[in-house]
Amino acid sequence: MALLERRSLAPERWESLLELDQVVDRVRRMLDETFSTIVPPALTTGLWSPLVDIEETEDAYVVEADLPGVKREDVDVEVIGNELVIRGEVKERERAGIVRKRARRVGRFEFRATLPDVDADKIEATLSEGVLTVRAPKVEQAKRRKIPIKAA
């Protein structure tokens, strides 16, 4: 008689929302590829959001956005109150042949994020090797400080 292994019937847990983002991105790409043959490309190039990482350090927020092939003059970065807004356009390049597969996005893009307690006058942005880096320093009172507990 063979021994049967016990298997858990509980569904596997996702370790992070990263896997969910990857699934959504795959589905979006499949839909884009499916309908790009039916709908003209000019109608499928709507507003989209670039891939972005936001890191909080002790003294600043650092936002990194993937913008491969985008020129500095085609990107605008501004702060409205405590909201960071990154806008721009990835321009379609001229091609000599027939496009058989299209996976890279073109057209206007926009990203918005609320960054609490930043010093808007000291925000800096750089674009290097296809990555836009925005460093938004925190205001003095927003920095974390450990408070010692005194004996009574």
Side-chain angles (χ1 to χ4, degrees):
M1 192 180 242
L3 294 174
L4 297 175
E5 288 183 24
R6 291 185 64 164
R7 293 185 183 187
S8 172
L9 297 177
E12 291 182 27
R13 287 184 11 196
W14 284 357
E15 295 301 313
S16 69
L17 292 178
L18 179 61
E19 290 183 34
L20 180 60
D21 288 342
Q22 291 171 345
V23 169
V24 169
D25 189 50
R26 280 189 225 129
V27 170
R28 183 180 296 126
R29 286 183 186 187
M30 286 182 356
L31 288 172
D32 286 348
E33 288 174 6
T34 301
F35 293 110
S36 67
T37 58
I38 300 169
V39 180
L43 298 178
T44 62
T45 57
L47 195 65
W48 54 277
S49 183
L51 298 176
V52 175
D53 289 338
I54 301 176
E55 178 183 3
E56 180 180 1
T57 65
E58 190 168 318
D59 64 340
Y61 293 95
V62 180
V63 178
E64 293 179 327
D66 286 346
L67 299 175
V70 176
K71 295 177 182 173
R72 193 175 66 218
E73 57 269 12
D74 293 333
V75 180
D76 291 319
V77 179
E78 65 180 331
V79 176
I80 305 167
N82 62 346
E83 183 178 48
L84 174 70
V85 181
I86 300 170
R87 288 188 188 106
E89 182 175 8
V90 176
K91 295 183 178 175
E92 179 89 34
R93 64 183 193 117
E94 288 191 34
R95 299 178 188 271
I98 298 170
V99 177
R100 297 291 183 186
K101 179 175 173 76
R102 175 176 295 194
R104 297 188 295 174
R105 293 184 179 265
V106 295
R108 307 251 347 127
F109 62 84
E110 182 176 286
F111 173 80
R112 293 175 175 264
T114 300
L115 302 177
D117 303 318
V118 296
D119 189 346
D121 294 329
K122 295 182 180 175
I123 294 176
E124 297 176 347
T126 58
L127 182 61
S128 176
E129 297 181 12
V131 178
L132 174 71
T133 302
V134 180
R135 187 177 188 286
K138 294 179 182 178
V139 293
E140 279 299 317
Q141 66 264 25
K143 290 183 181 176
R144 188 180 293 188
R145 185 175 77 106
K146 185 157 176 100
I147 309 298
I149 302 172
K150 298 177 184 176

